[in-house]
Amino acid sequence: MSVKRPNTAEQFRLDQPKKAASAAYTYFLAHPKDENSKRNIVYYRDGARVAESDFLDLEMVPYKEHYIRATLAYKSDEWEEVISHMEQCLEEYYLEFERCELTCEAKFSTEETEFKTGIADWMLYIMNCRSLCERDLSKVFIEPIEDFVRDMYSYLQFSYSSLKQFDQAVQAAANFLAFDPTHESMLENKRILLTREGVKEEDFQPQQEVVDYVRKNSELKELLFSIVDNYRHQQPVQEYPDKEAPEQDRDLFNEIGDLIVEMTESDDWMLRYEQLGMNVIARSVDLNREERFVTDGMLRPEQCDELLTLTEDLPTEPQGSQLFTLKVAQQKLEEDPNEEIEATLRLYARSVEVLKHYTQRYLNPDMTYYFKKSSIVCWPPSEESRTCYPQEDGTCVKFDDMSDELYSDLYTTVTYLHTADEDSDFSFLNEEKGIDRALGLKCGRTIGFNTGDRHFVKIPKSGSKRCAVVLRYTFNRDLDDRDYNDLITMLHRVEELRMATAKQKPEVVLKKFADAGVKVTKERKQLKGKERVVADGIASEAQCETLRNMVLTRGMAGDGYNGITTPHTLYELFLGLSVPDVNKSEALAGDGYDHLKTKPSEVSPHTEHELYRGMNIYRAGKLAFEEKISLGALRDFLDLSEASRLFTEKYFNLTKPLYFDFTHLVCRSAVDGSNSNREDLSHPVHADNCNLQPNGSCFREFPSFFHRDYSAILYLNDDFEGGEFFFAHGNQSEQSDLVSHSNVVSQVSVRPKCGRLVAFNAGHFHGVKAVKSGRRCALALWFTHQAMFKELAHVQVRSNHSYRNARSPVFID
Ligand SMILES: O=C(O)CCC(=O)C(=O)O
Ligand SMILES: [Fe+2]
């Protein structure tokens, strides 16, 4: 009786001539002097009739090479070789995997979350990112190999058995079974091994490393069970075939490894949450009973505002509360499947997902939590005196009807959507009907407690209603709230539907642009590259002026930090553009670059010789709402953004929709006296979605905005000197230190003027020449194909009622 030879999916693949040819060729590339591998190549090329093009140059990462060598050795029964390479492969694979996870983490904790669609997106993003590590790393060849890691133990098990090294074979079998405890052939192998002398059942212990790996991956998958699948499916839809989507090469981990090593090695989710500003402010010891906690910072103010819009027009229940439930959500979406509602519901879904994850991690990392019920509960103000205790879930109960015990499997979190005074307090009750602890309301504050824990809420007598996201969890999967999955599915369908109906023919749209006076003035030929275009007439002189003024009056608020000239450089005199009545917080210096904490000034993040003031969509929306800028100005901001987006999408004939990722209105102006002999650039050579390396390569990875697909800049004036936009040569290898100098080799430059749009693939190198005098204003836009990175602010601002009513749809059918 002999141990079964693995008959895995992977082996089957390896038997396919193309894959095997690729493997052999890859191996040959790594070992050009190896006679054996040369023979292999010849064998495959001649014998298997594989086309030349199938000899792909696969990237060699050490573990992949070991994998290929091991599988080749396996084919020729060279067991020692198999073992040696598989063991090394596994060792290096685990390291690579860890790197991959840390990369997700690095992206997660360092990107400028302020301008992203929110913490919740990032949360989801990192979960998704981590779950992709396993799959991406299993791409030894072009496609992921199913059960890649598991099956390596199968190879090992078989090879060790063939060499009669049964202890190791047992170990390998145990490791394999840690992945799949019911795998029939392996169980059969185990039975066979057990017949060997000295082999006992208890010898089948998987290694800790394997146990940890399996646990981590299955936890993550569980967590992503309903939601990530939906997001993943959101990407290529049938109507929008994935047009030359560049495969992100995840093998760059080697390159960024150094960066990551510096990052924390801790696997502590709580720490990560803290990095995002989610801080526990009270634990059960502070709150007099087990399972209680209070955490602040779970939502940002604008997210609270957005979620509150879901509570408008809710009917009042007999007990006086109002409920926004998932059923209501579905209804809303069915009645009016518009983008605003969709975006808000997405935010809701992501937020509750984060809250669930957080709660689970905080309380009970070993349990899986399911939503039993998810809702927003509001208590409208009321003068009524009650004999019952109003609850966070919207009911009102008598003291004697309150549970006296904590439940073993029900838990509740309440997350407030606004800040309120003590009129709205939350209180835990003790057995004597006394108040154990009272807590005030704050946007993003989350109180967690066992569902059986006594509490009540104060209902404000006047003012706005008291609202919170109330989530009830269970550990029992059967009690899982189906409505939640239904909502997610619905959101996905709405998106699909909208994409399908919004799909307008490029010719039709471009003709409309032409009729409105838009003229393409430079195309790929003149611009020396595909996916580049310059068009004039996108904005009128009046619109340019409106946007310029917006930055000047509101974007340049403040007089340079209380009259202090910054110590950075002698050029950095603030221009004294103070607008006395303007609140400084309205304008963020270098808005959009506030992650550059070292430059908390008006000085351009790119050159100290220029000042830099900007405004993003969210801020503009807020100012309009506060009536500090006119609705007309906001409309111009939004309409010009949309026109630029639509033009870019249609001109490049993109088959997938482009979403806004970030929209930034910005002016750069020369500092007085700095105009002579400037050697620097206003914006050094860069690409918008990757990290330019000194050797000229550019990685679409952390910390760049790797998800950006296209960029467009709409210029607003020409009364300044210098400031030309230019495309630069892709290969900067001989001029790496020149990327920020004026003598950089530019391929072709574009002189800004009002209404001129330059749009291009975000991966193309470009820069801006020094602004030698005057002020240069532009609307910079970055777009993405990934719905997940949609700039929520656009939708938020558009959903503002007064704006929506005032809006005349331009360029939209
Ligand atoms: O303002 C311009 O012309 C280009 C700016 C740019 O490339 C950027 O902000 O990424
Ligand atoms: Fe750029």
Side-chain angles (χ1 to χ4, degrees), residues 169-229:
V170 165
Q171 179 70 80
N175 286 343
F176 181 104
L177 289 168
F179 286 86
D180 191 352
T182 58
H183 193 275
E184 273 192 12
S185 320
M186 193 50 77
L187 286 173
E188 172 70 2
N189 286 334
K190 181 178 169 182
R191 276 191 288 278
I192 297 165
L193 283 165
L194 277 167
T195 63
R196 301 282 161 193
E197 213 190 317
V199 176
K200 298 181 295 299
E201 174 69 39
E202 55 270 34
D203 296 335
F204 285 81
Q205 293 299 335
Q207 287 164 292
Q208 192 56 39
E209 185 175 37
V210 176
V211 175
D212 289 345
Y213 179 84
V214 171
R215 181 183 47 80
K216 226 188 238 176
N217 281 313
S218 62
E219 266 182 321
L220 201 61
K221 275 175 200 143
E222 188 70 22
L223 200 62
L224 294 167
F225 169 65
S226 63
I227 198 155
V228 163
D229 264 357

Side-chain angles (χ1 to χ4, degrees), residues 9 107 169 193 200 202 360 427 489 510 542 581 604 628 643 652 673 712 717 727 735 787:
K107 285 172 189 162
L193 283 165
K200 298 181 295 299
E202 55 270 34
Q360 172 190 8
S427 301
T489 311
L510 292 175
D581 62 338
S604 159
K628 288 175 177 162
F652 293 133
N717 65 326
F727 285 112
Q735 20 168 331

Side-chain angles (χ1 to χ4, degrees), residues 437-494:
R437 255 302 187 243
L439 294 152
L441 271 56
K442 197 174 151 185
C443 157
R445 170 167 295 170
T446 297
I447 304 180
F449 53 90
N450 186 292
T451 305
D453 207 344
R454 284 193 203 93
H455 74 276
F456 79 101
V457 303
K458 278 198 204 162
I459 299 171
K461 299 225 174 343
S462 60
S464 34
K465 55 186 181 186
R466 180 196 193 280
C467 295
V469 174
V470 179
L471 302 175
R472 205 158 257 189
Y473 311 94
T474 170
F475 307 141
N476 184 347
R477 190 174 190 147
D478 298 337
L479 298 179
D480 189 10
D481 183 6
R482 293 280 109 206
D483 290 345
Y484 182 68
N485 289 336
D486 289 350
L487 174 68
I488 299 292
T489 311
M490 240 170 117
L491 280 171
H492 172 53
R493 275 204 222 105
V494 169

Side-chain angles (χ1 to χ4, degrees), residues 52-120:
E52 196 79 37
S53 57
D54 288 321
F55 289 87
L56 298 168
D57 181 357
L58 299 168
E59 171 120 29
M60 288 312 294
V61 181
Y63 80 89
K64 294 187 180 180
E65 186 188 328
H66 284 303
Y67 185 84
I68 291 165
R69 276 182 180 239
T71 48
L72 287 175
Y74 183 81
K75 285 176 132 331
S76 43
D77 296 2
E78 295 164 44
W79 310 125
E80 266 110 340
E81 277 280 293
V82 178
I83 289 167
S84 152
H85 287 299
M86 268 317 172
E87 295 282 18
Q88 286 181 74
C89 176
L90 277 162
E91 195 176 311
E92 281 164 17
Y93 170 86
Y94 284 124
L95 284 174
E96 208 64 40
F97 182 79
E98 206 173 310
R99 268 191 204 147
C100 178
E101 281 196 297
L102 286 168
T103 308
C104 295
E105 198 177 305
K107 285 172 189 162
F108 180 49
S109 56
T110 326
E111 287 278 4
E112 45 170 28
T113 48
E114 164 80 11
F115 297 106
K116 293 290 144 221
T117 39
I119 284 164

